[in-house]
Short mmCIF file of all heavy atoms in Angstrom, two decimals:
data_model
loop_
_atom_site.label_atom_id
_atom_site.label_comp_id
_atom_site.label_asym_id
_atom_site.label_seq_id
_atom_site.Cartn_x
_atom_site.Cartn_y
_atom_site.Cartn_z
N MET A 16 -83.74 171.16 -51.29
CA MET A 16 -83.40 171.48 -49.94
C MET A 16 -83.31 172.99 -49.81
O MET A 16 -82.65 173.65 -50.59
CB MET A 16 -82.07 170.82 -49.58
CG MET A 16 -81.54 171.28 -48.26
SD MET A 16 -79.86 170.69 -48.04
CE MET A 16 -80.02 169.80 -46.57
N ILE A 17 -83.96 173.51 -48.80
CA ILE A 17 -83.93 174.95 -48.57
C ILE A 17 -83.12 175.20 -47.31
O ILE A 17 -83.35 174.60 -46.27
CB ILE A 17 -85.35 175.51 -48.38
CG1 ILE A 17 -86.15 175.27 -49.66
CG2 ILE A 17 -85.31 176.97 -48.00
CD1 ILE A 17 -87.58 175.67 -49.55
N VAL A 18 -82.15 176.10 -47.42
CA VAL A 18 -81.32 176.46 -46.27
C VAL A 18 -81.56 177.93 -46.00
O VAL A 18 -81.49 178.76 -46.90
CB VAL A 18 -79.82 176.20 -46.56
CG1 VAL A 18 -78.98 176.67 -45.39
CG2 VAL A 18 -79.59 174.74 -46.86
N THR A 19 -81.84 178.23 -44.77
CA THR A 19 -82.09 179.61 -44.41
C THR A 19 -81.05 180.05 -43.39
O THR A 19 -80.77 179.34 -42.43
CB THR A 19 -83.48 179.75 -43.77
OG1 THR A 19 -84.44 179.19 -44.65
CG2 THR A 19 -83.82 181.19 -43.50
N THR A 20 -80.46 181.19 -43.64
CA THR A 20 -79.53 181.76 -42.67
C THR A 20 -80.01 183.14 -42.33
O THR A 20 -80.77 183.76 -43.08
CB THR A 20 -78.09 181.84 -43.22
OG1 THR A 20 -78.09 182.69 -44.36
CG2 THR A 20 -77.57 180.47 -43.59
N GLY A 21 -79.57 183.64 -41.25
CA GLY A 21 -80.00 184.98 -40.86
C GLY A 21 -78.87 185.78 -40.28
O GLY A 21 -77.99 185.26 -39.61
N CYS A 22 -78.89 187.05 -40.57
CA CYS A 22 -77.91 187.97 -40.00
C CYS A 22 -78.67 189.19 -39.55
O CYS A 22 -79.71 189.54 -40.10
CB CYS A 22 -76.88 188.41 -41.04
SG CYS A 22 -75.82 187.08 -41.58
N SER A 23 -78.13 189.84 -38.62
CA SER A 23 -78.77 191.06 -38.16
C SER A 23 -77.82 192.21 -38.39
O SER A 23 -76.66 192.15 -38.00
CB SER A 23 -79.10 190.95 -36.67
OG SER A 23 -79.55 192.20 -36.19
N SER A 24 -78.29 193.22 -39.02
CA SER A 24 -77.47 194.40 -39.20
C SER A 24 -77.86 195.46 -38.19
O SER A 24 -77.49 196.61 -38.31
CB SER A 24 -77.62 194.94 -40.63
OG SER A 24 -78.97 195.34 -40.83
N ASP A 25 -78.63 195.04 -37.19
CA ASP A 25 -79.04 195.97 -36.15
C ASP A 25 -77.82 196.37 -35.34
O ASP A 25 -77.20 195.56 -34.68
CB ASP A 25 -80.08 195.29 -35.26
CG ASP A 25 -80.57 196.21 -34.16
OD1 ASP A 25 -80.30 197.42 -34.22
OD2 ASP A 25 -81.25 195.69 -33.25
N SER A 26 -77.47 197.60 -35.40
CA SER A 26 -76.28 198.08 -34.68
C SER A 26 -76.70 198.86 -33.44
O SER A 26 -76.04 199.80 -33.05
CB SER A 26 -75.42 198.95 -35.60
OG SER A 26 -76.16 200.09 -36.00
N SER A 27 -77.82 198.44 -32.86
CA SER A 27 -78.28 199.14 -31.67
C SER A 27 -77.29 198.96 -30.53
O SER A 27 -76.62 197.94 -30.43
CB SER A 27 -79.66 198.64 -31.26
OG SER A 27 -79.58 197.29 -30.90
#
Side-chain angles (χ1 to χ4, degrees):
M16 171 190 237
I17 298 175
V18 177
T19 306
T20 62
C22 294
S23 172
S24 63
D25 181 12
S26 62
S27 64

